[in-house]
Amino acid sequence: MKSGTIWTVLGVLVAIVAAWFLVDALFSLMWFVVKLAVVAVVAVAVFVLLRNALSGSRDE
């Protein structure tokens, strides 16, 4: 094998490993953002429900 071929194969392997970790990190970040959005929506819904429940009991 020529020296250039070995470096090409090593470069391809490094590129694959780097891409694997980058894609994994990207999907983890995307999942975190989606989870954060769902938590925000649920928190707003619970806040509105609690505010309506508590304001209804003050009308007495």
Side-chain angles (χ1 to χ4, degrees):
M1 275 181 115
K2 292 183 182 178
S3 176
T5 305
I6 292 172
W7 284 112
T8 301
V9 171
L10 286 176
V12 168
L13 290 175
V14 169
I16 290 171
V17 170
W20 185 274
F21 284 111
L22 287 173
V23 169
D24 188 42
L26 181 65
F27 278 129
S28 295
L29 180 64
M30 285 175 25
W31 174 240
F32 177 75
V33 169
V34 169
K35 199 156 99 170
L36 191 63
V38 170
V39 167
V41 169
V42 171
V44 168
V46 169
F47 173 75
V48 169
L49 288 173
L50 285 174
R51 189 177 65 177
N52 287 341
L54 293 177
S55 67
S57 64
R58 289 185 191 164
D59 291 340
E60 295 177 14

